[in-house]
Amino acid sequence: MDVKYHIFKDYDLDITGASDEELAANKKFAKVIRKNRYFFVSMCYHPKRKRIYVGCTQSGGDLLVEFNPKTSKFRSCGYAHSGYWYSLEAKIHKGIWLDEKEDALYFGTSTLSPVSQTVDSKGGKLIRYRIKDRQFDLIAEPTPGDFYQATGYDPKRKKIYMYTMPGSCFAVYDMKKKKLLRSDPMESIPHIGAIDHDGGVWGTYDGGTQAFFRYMPDENRYEFPEGCSFPNALAAANIMYPGAGPIDSCITGDDGYIYTGSALGELFRIDPQDKSVTYLGKPFTGKRLPGIYLADDGYIYLCGGNDGAPRLARYDRATGNFELLGIVESPDGTLCYRCHELVVVDGVAYIGETDNPKRSGYIWECSF
């Protein structure tokens, strides 16, 4: 596997052991961090424009960046200067959604701030980015005090789904009615959820079971199917961060199944029809499986594993076999610290890096 990395902005500070929240409040490093500290935590490929749109963790408000795979060039989309950003918004954590008909992106904003600051705040924003015009539109601020750790978007029903923090809620916003339909405490949120082929929205609930729910938007009600959970769901919870559920990654395949990686680094398949959960295997050592992508070649690509040496693999749905493609390490010895997101374009994997304790995250390009 041929590996190289692309740098947008960078710095050199040894701040090992400090969390993003602690660094955001650290006055000593505040200026350089606001300017140069970027982690790439959500990604969306635009097939017509041939660009990757990248959501960032960035305390200065530069939350959306465009990356050109052909030229390896970055361009800020300018959210910090949009007139909508405010200081508690620090990331587009999981979920940038392309509406090809509108040539627009949809996302929600999240935070690094403690509850003492968020409780009386406006909370997160739901935003549309009109790509051609390079303009942001505020859709709503529907949940004061609560931010969006992950989102989902249904272009047919014009609904946005939010998995919130610190409230650990599942919320539904109807863009046609301009109304919040639900915001329900779930005691658990996935790193990201999925929408099945019938429009059902999947997430986790109940800190004691960490089981799956399915929200049915046309009826505005939930299903809580009995026994629908990872067999080791409790062991996989609270690994990503306190209050996190066991789901690290989640996609809906073209075969109708939902494929989901756990925070223990295991891959499962959910059948939305009979609500069964099937263990498919563990593609590499270590915990975490945040990167998952169904590519045009039919393989499901996976990235995760140990901090400081994440692995890239792929899963063949026809045979049930995993193929380990390699470690995300460049020839000069630079290692990706932790994968957070993955897209595969024309046989090349692009990985968004996060949480590096000494530098900004990079976009990693892996050819195989």
Side-chain angles (χ1 to χ4, degrees), residues 66-85:
E66 180 186 277
F67 177 72
N68 185 335
K70 184 176 181 180
T71 64
S72 303
K73 300 295 184 182
F74 294 84
R75 182 175 74 169
S76 168
C77 295
Y79 184 69
H81 308 291
S82 66
Y84 296 123
W85 176 69

Side-chain angles (χ1 to χ4, degrees), residues 53-368:
Y53 291 90
V54 187
C56 306
T57 300
Q58 216 286 315
S59 59
D62 194 14
L63 304 187
L64 185 65
V65 169
E66 180 186 277
F67 177 72
N68 185 335
K70 184 176 181 180
T71 64
S72 303
K73 300 295 184 182
F74 294 84
R75 182 175 74 169
S76 168
C77 295
Y79 184 69
H81 308 291
S82 66
Y84 296 123
W85 176 69
Y86 75 113
S87 61
L88 297 188
E89 293 176 299
K91 51 186 174 176
I92 303 171
H93 185 250
K94 273 284 189 179
I96 299 176
W97 308 102
L98 173 64
D99 189 316
E100 292 195 69
K101 184 177 180 180
E102 296 183 7
D103 193 28
L105 303 173
Y106 287 84
F107 62 86
T109 60
S110 192
T111 190
L112 295 173
S113 300
V115 173
S116 60
Q117 295 180 25
T118 62
V119 65
D120 289 324
S121 73
K122 295 179 289 186
K125 291 183 173 69
L126 299 177
I127 297 289
R128 173 177 49 232
Y129 177 62
R130 289 178 281 122
I131 300 173
K132 181 180 179 181
D133 300 328
R134 301 194 67 197
Q135 292 292 319
F136 294 90
D137 302 316
L138 175 64
I139 297 169
E141 298 168 297
T143 57
D146 226 0
F147 291 76
Y148 311 127
Q149 194 74 345
T151 59
Y153 170 66
D154 186 333
K156 176 182 176 181
R157 295 170 177 84
K158 300 304 287 185
K159 288 181 169 65
I160 302 177
Y161 306 109
M162 302 90 79
Y163 305 87
T164 80
M165 282 191 70
S168 295
C169 295
F170 174 75
V172 181
Y173 185 81
D174 189 318
M175 293 177 59
K176 293 180 181 178
K177 296 180 179 179
K178 298 182 179 180
K179 180 182 179 181
L180 183 70
L181 299 183
R182 309 196 72 113
S183 184
D184 300 316
M186 290 296 182
E187 296 184 357
S188 172
I189 60 170
H191 211 196
I192 193 165
I195 302 173
D196 64 35
H197 286 183
D198 294 322
V201 189
W202 291 74
T204 50
Y205 75 99
D206 188 348
T209 63
Q210 297 290 350
F212 291 102
F213 71 80
R214 180 176 183 260
Y215 171 74
M216 294 171 288
D218 296 334
E219 302 170 42
N220 191 24
R221 69 178 182 89
Y222 294 99
E223 289 181 325
F224 298 97
E226 184 176 355
C228 188
S229 65
F230 293 158
N232 53 359
L234 293 180
N238 298 303
I239 290 175
M240 295 180 284
Y241 46 83
I247 296 178
D248 204 351
S249 55
C250 204
I251 59 169
T252 300
D254 54 5
D255 53 9
Y257 292 115
I258 293 172
Y259 295 87
T260 177
S262 84
L264 292 173
E266 299 169 330
L267 184 67
F268 293 85
R269 184 184 67 209
I270 303 170
D271 186 334
Q273 299 303 313
D274 65 16
K275 314 303 188 294
S276 62
V277 179
T278 302
Y279 173 75
L280 300 178
K282 185 174 172 61
F284 29 65
T285 61
K287 298 179 180 179
R288 302 298 309 270
L289 183 47
I292 187 169
Y293 194 85
L294 175 57
D296 291 340
D297 60 12
Y299 288 104
I300 295 177
Y301 287 81
L302 308 158
C303 189
N306 294 334
D307 292 345
R311 269 73 171 169
L312 182 67
R314 61 186 176 190
Y315 175 71
D316 186 332
R317 292 176 291 172
T319 66
N321 294 328
F322 292 95
E323 179 185 0
L324 184 62
L325 299 172
I327 299 174
V328 188
E329 179 181 13
S330 74
D332 67 7
T334 304
L335 280 163
C336 177
Y337 179 74
R338 179 182 292 164
C339 164
H340 199 276
E341 191 63 284
L342 168 70
V343 299
V344 180
V345 180
D346 297 329
V348 179
Y350 296 89
I351 295 164
E353 181 186 7
T354 193
D355 293 342
N356 194 298
K358 296 183 179 181
R359 57 168 174 78
S360 277
Y362 301 155
I363 296 289
W364 292 80
E365 178 182 333
C366 303
S367 303
F368 34 85

Side-chain angles (χ1 to χ4, degrees), residues 26-44:
N26 190 317
K27 295 181 180 179
K28 179 179 178 181
F29 302 134
K31 185 175 180 179
V32 66
I33 286 170
R34 278 198 304 270
K35 183 178 179 181
N36 293 321
R37 184 178 171 90
Y38 284 76
F39 292 135
F40 300 125
V41 291
S42 51
M43 302 172 89
C44 177

